[in-house]
Amino acid sequence: MTLKHLILFFIFTASCFWTAAQNLVPNPSFENTVSLPCVGGVAVNQFNSYFQDWNLPTLATSDFFSLNVPNTCSIYCLNSPWNHLPKSGNNMVGAYCSSIYNDSNSREYIQTQLLQTLTPGQHYYAKFHVSLAAKSRFASNNLGMYFSDTLINSFQSDVLNFTPQIIEQKIITDSVNWVKISGTFTASSPSQYIILGCFSNGQNTSLTPTNHNDIVFNEYSYYFFDDILVKETCLTHSPDTTICQNTSATLNVNSNSFIGWAESTNPSTILSTSNNFTVSPQQSTNYLIYSQCDTFDIWVYVQEPFTFNIGNDTTLCPDETLTLSPQYKGNSYLWSNGSTDSTITVNSAGLYSLEITKNGCSSSDNIMVDYYPEQIFSFDQDTAIFCPGDTLNFLYNLNNANYLWSDNSTSNSISITQTQNLSLAVEQNGCTYEDSILIYTPPGPQVNLGTDTSICEDLSIVLNAHHPYSTFLWQDGSTEAELIVNEAGTYWVNVENCFEASDTILIETENCDCVLYLPNTFTPNQNGVNDEISAVASCPLDQFEFIIYNRWGKVVFHSNNIQDFWNGTVKNQLTNTTCFSYSLQYSFADDAFVHTKYGHINMLY
């Protein structure tokens, strides 16, 4: 017998074993019923009163569907919103699987007792079929079968925190066909029960929208279950897997009776006889496992490369933000700024990239974000002086710009003939820039350089003519607001804004080694202290004249002798006036310059 005929013989033999193997699941297609209700969602304690061998392990109420009832019944399979046929026979079960809210872990399950307790160490093959309800808004993953040693009777409706021996980690989106979920495992305990449903909480469940227009199940993914099988086998093998295109997967078998691998499209050609088989299909492929006792298949699903677009390169206006969103549902996201959110908001220039991973495969895209200038024009200052009769002109020549002035004119220039708060908005490249300026007429300047005075030789004095928004012109041609004087002379300044003002001051110099002192207060109360007022000179005088005036300008004291003093009396009577003014002219013997001083004297009692 040739090797090919030998292999075909083993394949035929395996088929016979597979057909003869006992299904340990009672009522695997829900065809055996006690009685059929007309409505779905029967109470937990009534489920097995209608459907033979099956019960509900939690307070959540799974649904039963049948073609063996009038089409007016809610459990009739072809009634809207169900509109679905069982995989085989006339009956099937439906259950909520996962919620769109991470903090919502409500789930529905079904449970049955096996016809035979599992033998620890024995290999088993298990499978069931599911199909997404056509009007379910979401599809999800992690549907599975859990083998339990004890009957589960939970008084809650939340997720059962078990690790199923058979699980499908990819999202099942098919709402037309039935999808097989299968696998092999080695029993680790004498399990007697199986539970079908979703065993992961909201945070560990992946959801994808179905984009159906007519949605009934707004919050949950909803699946139908049918045709369940559990049987002994002589081998265990790796489960169905998903790979990225142009990558590989290693399939494995654990059995002493293993024969070889083949593709389901060419079952008579053995591809490998190794227990570990590395494959790199370019499209989803079903691989067959031949052994002396059984035949199995493993699907290697190939995820084709996916692309997405986070937007075209763009330039934004100052202070504008941009939300980047790929509009593609992935399992994880990684932006160039380290964010793992599905969307980010951009507020600065730069190159932004995103890598999306879905079912272990990754794709990326990037976008360059730039910003237009912060400001393309300004008035350069906040205020401008407008003199009556004048005209202020403003002109801007900006490329591809639109203008809007505060008087609603749209020219690139404007002429101002009156005071106002002028504003301009410039639109360029879709961005709007604004600025304003206060145009006003200032009050006329008031200039006071002070009274004529004298300064010591070799010293200086600062003359200040400052007035806002004005120009200055001194007698020496200086245009600053201040002038430093260090020699005698007559000084003048002209201050101009829209109006003009001027002032003049006489500056004298004196030898400050010789000084004349005159107090400004005395107390004529006859207590012997400060009863009189008089001048005191540090050098001999050549000329002296001291005159005191009352508030009406009448002379109350006059003397040409520095030794004379005034005691506050007029015609030998103490005056009741308290404030006086004086003039003082003098020259020192060594200096022919005549000094003149004016001031005030206070008389206190």
Side-chain angles (χ1 to χ4, degrees), residues 65-217:
F65 302 94
S66 179
L67 295 173
N68 292 330
V69 294
N71 59 13
T72 56
C73 292
S74 64
I75 70 168
Y76 185 73
C77 297
L78 294 180
N79 270 0
S80 179
W82 316 113
N83 193 26
H84 211 291
L85 283 174
K87 182 179 183 300
S88 64
N90 296 309
N91 303 330
M92 63 183 180
V93 171
Y96 287 115
C97 191
S98 298
S99 167
I100 63 173
Y101 303 112
N102 286 339
D103 59 350
S104 178
N105 293 314
S106 297
R107 303 286 186 271
E108 291 181 340
Y109 302 91
I110 55 175
Q111 176 179 241
T112 189
Q113 184 173 6
L114 296 172
L115 297 174
Q116 177 182 312
T117 301
L118 300 188
T119 301
Q122 173 63 45
H123 301 321
Y124 292 90
Y125 171 78
K127 71 173 181 178
F128 63 99
H129 296 81
V130 299
S131 186
L132 180 68
K135 295 186 178 181
S136 180
R137 174 170 290 177
F138 297 94
S140 61
N141 63 346
N142 292 343
L143 285 83
M145 179 189 298
Y146 174 69
F147 290 79
S148 173
D149 295 354
T150 59
L151 179 70
I152 303 302
N153 189 12
S154 174
F155 295 97
Q156 61 178 9
S157 59
D158 287 348
V159 62
L160 293 175
N161 293 314
F162 302 139
T163 301
Q165 288 82 352
I166 307 298
I167 188 170
E168 178 55 73
Q169 295 182 343
K170 70 181 181 69
I171 298 175
I172 297 178
T173 59
D174 199 331
S175 59
V176 177
N177 304 298
W178 286 86
V179 178
K180 181 183 71 174
I181 299 176
S182 64
T184 58
F185 68 99
T186 302
S188 59
S189 63
S191 300
Q192 301 182 60
Y193 302 90
I194 60 170
I195 303 173
L196 277 72
C198 292
F199 294 89
S200 60
N201 58 26
Q203 293 181 344
N204 296 318
T205 300
S206 298
L207 296 175
T208 186
T210 59
N211 299 319
H212 290 304
N213 294 325
D214 184 12
I215 300 300
V216 173
F217 308 104

Side-chain angles (χ1 to χ4, degrees), residues 194-314:
I194 60 170
I195 303 173
L196 277 72
C198 292
F199 294 89
S200 60
N201 58 26
Q203 293 181 344
N204 296 318
T205 300
S206 298
L207 296 175
T208 186
T210 59
N211 299 319
H212 290 304
N213 294 325
D214 184 12
I215 300 300
V216 173
F217 308 104
N218 289 326
E219 181 180 351
Y220 293 90
S221 59
Y222 192 94
Y223 287 90
F224 300 112
F225 295 78
D226 203 358
D227 283 6
I228 300 130
L229 170 69
V230 176
K231 68 171 185 175
E232 291 185 7
T233 183
C234 65
L235 58 79
T236 59
H237 61 78
S238 54
D240 294 347
T241 187
T242 299
I243 64 172
C244 308
Q245 199 169 58
N246 299 319
T247 62
S248 61
T250 299
L251 311 179
N252 58 73
V253 171
N254 180 17
S255 174
N256 293 326
S257 62
F258 171 67
I259 299 174
W261 299 89
E263 286 187 15
S264 61
T265 56
N266 190 10
S268 62
T269 300
I270 298 299
L271 301 176
S272 173
T273 58
S274 171
N275 289 62
N276 298 313
F277 180 36
T278 300
V279 296
S280 302
Q282 292 301 302
Q283 60 185 11
S284 297
T285 303
N286 187 222
Y287 292 93
L288 300 178
I289 305 172
Y290 295 138
S291 72
Q292 297 176 13
C293 66
D294 216 336
T295 300
F296 294 98
D297 66 330
I298 298 178
W299 274 99
V300 176
Y301 298 99
V302 178
Q303 179 174 298
E304 296 183 358
F306 62 91
T307 61
F308 62 92
N309 186 4
I310 56 176
N312 298 323
D313 294 348
T314 186

Side-chain angles (χ1 to χ4, degrees), residues 554-556 566-575:
K554 184 177 179 180
V555 176
V556 297
W566 184 49
N567 60 6
T569 62
V570 178
K571 295 181 180 181
N572 297 320
Q573 295 290 327
L574 189 64
T575 179

Side-chain angles (χ1 to χ4, degrees), residues 76 365 452 541 601:
Y76 185 73
D365 189 33
D452 296 344
L541 296 174
I601 298 174

